[in-house]
Amino acid sequence: QKEVEQNSGPLSVPEGAIASLNCTYSDRGSQSFFWYRQYSGKSPELIMFIYSNGDKEDGRFTAQLNKASQYVSLLIRDSQPSDSATYLCAVTLNQGGKLIFGQGTELSVKP
Amino acid sequence: DTAVSQTPKYLVTQMGNDKSIKCEQNLGHDTMYWYKQDSKKFLKIMFSYNNKELIINETVPNRFSPKSPDKAHLNLHINSLELGDSAVYFCASTPRGANTGELFFGEGSRLTVL
């Protein structure tokens, strides 16, 4: 089982819709969860982090964490074509504090 | 001002050669990393240095040797390059006390081994 798993996509949504990106992780003791956005040919950039169960909102982005289910998600409301990118879920392992990335979900927002 | 800068951005070389990638950060961060991103976009940690001290050394062939002359610089030297080394190598940093997941990435160095 991979330590962090995401659907690779591509996920295609129309402009203005809600994009839902999902991630599961295997280390039950993980404490910190991150979403990075990577445009094609560019470097990853941190867009959200969440440490506690529940929802965390930042503008059009909402991160959701459910530690019991070992599940973290990212919702993007009012999706824009400029949101088209690969979204990487990352989890800090309980032991050693290493950051482990999922394989990323490619999101395409169609005008 | 570039916060985390890597050179070169592109390398094309033959199998068996040796190459180096340099990284510098002007953010005053204490911890620096090397990550490798393969053709499937999978990003995997290779090494981490905290204030010049090696703290993470993943299962990486010993052909890869990192070096940190000071806390603002982290270089990566690769000996006897193989086809499978072709990837984008990202340098990253994080400040002291920050969660190790809050990374600032460089622009990447795309290595192609022929």
Side-chain angles (χ1 to χ4, degrees), chain A residues 45-66:
Chain A
E45 57 176 326
L46 180 65
I47 56 172
M48 288 286 287
F49 58 86
I50 186 167
Y51 303 145
S52 304
N53 274 330
D55 294 0
K56 180 182 178 183
E57 189 174 315
D58 183 2
R60 295 187 297 112
F61 297 94
T62 299
Q64 299 176 316
L65 175 61
N66 183 327

Side-chain angles (χ1 to χ4, degrees), chain A residues 32 34 36 38-44 46 49 51 86 88 92 97-99 101-103, chain B residues 35 37 40-45 56 58 90 99-108 110:
Chain A
S32 307
F34 304 84
Y36 282 79
Q38 186 175 23
Y39 292 113
S40 181
K42 301 295 185 182
S43 57
L46 180 65
F49 58 86
Y51 303 145
T86 296
L88 302 166
T92 302
K98 279 188 303 185
L99 187 69
F101 284 85
Q103 70 269 39
Chain B
Y35 277 84
Q37 188 170 46
K40 294 184 179 178
K41 293 272 190 170
F42 187 56
L43 197 60
K44 187 170 181 185
I45 190 168
I56 293 176
E58 284 297 281
F90 285 101
N99 193 298
T100 54
E102 297 177 41
L103 298 178
F104 294 75
F105 282 90
E107 295 175 317
R110 181 176 293 276

Side-chain angles (χ1 to χ4, degrees), chain A residues 55-100:
Chain A
D55 294 0
K56 180 182 178 183
E57 189 174 315
D58 183 2
R60 295 187 297 112
F61 297 94
T62 299
Q64 299 176 316
L65 175 61
N66 183 327
K67 289 186 179 180
S69 301
Q70 294 174 239
Y71 178 92
V72 58
S73 65
L74 179 70
L75 301 178
I76 306 174
R77 289 182 299 282
D78 187 24
S79 295
Q80 301 297 308
S82 59
D83 294 326
S84 297
T86 296
Y87 289 80
L88 302 166
C89 172
V91 175
T92 302
L93 295 183
N94 189 37
Q95 293 218 347
K98 279 188 303 185
L99 187 69
I100 302 299

Side-chain angles (χ1 to χ4, degrees), chain B residues 71-90:
Chain B
K71 75 172 194 177
H73 295 84
L74 180 62
N75 303 323
L76 183 66
H77 187 76
I78 316 170
N79 289 324
S80 303
L81 279 157
E82 300 178 357
L83 293 176
D85 297 332
S86 295
V88 181
Y89 292 85
F90 285 101

Side-chain angles (χ1 to χ4, degrees), chain B residues 47-89:
Chain B
F47 302 103
S48 173
Y49 273 74
N50 185 296
N51 202 8
K52 302 191 297 176
E53 181 183 346
L54 180 66
I55 56 171
I56 293 176
N57 184 349
E58 284 297 281
T59 309
V60 175
N62 58 14
R63 298 181 295 105
F64 291 79
S65 50
K67 199 164 284 187
S68 181
D70 56 62
K71 75 172 194 177
H73 295 84
L74 180 62
N75 303 323
L76 183 66
H77 187 76
I78 316 170
N79 289 324
S80 303
L81 279 157
E82 300 178 357
L83 293 176
D85 297 332
S86 295
V88 181
Y89 292 85

Side-chain angles (χ1 to χ4, degrees), chain B residues 1-5 24-32 71-72 92-96 102-106:
Chain B
D1 285 348
T2 303
V4 182
S5 60
E24 176 182 3
Q25 54 95 3
N26 62 6
L27 298 167
H29 291 173
D30 287 312
T31 306
M32 296 183 72
K71 75 172 194 177
S93 69
T94 194
R96 179 205 300 248
E102 297 177 41
L103 298 178
F104 294 75
F105 282 90

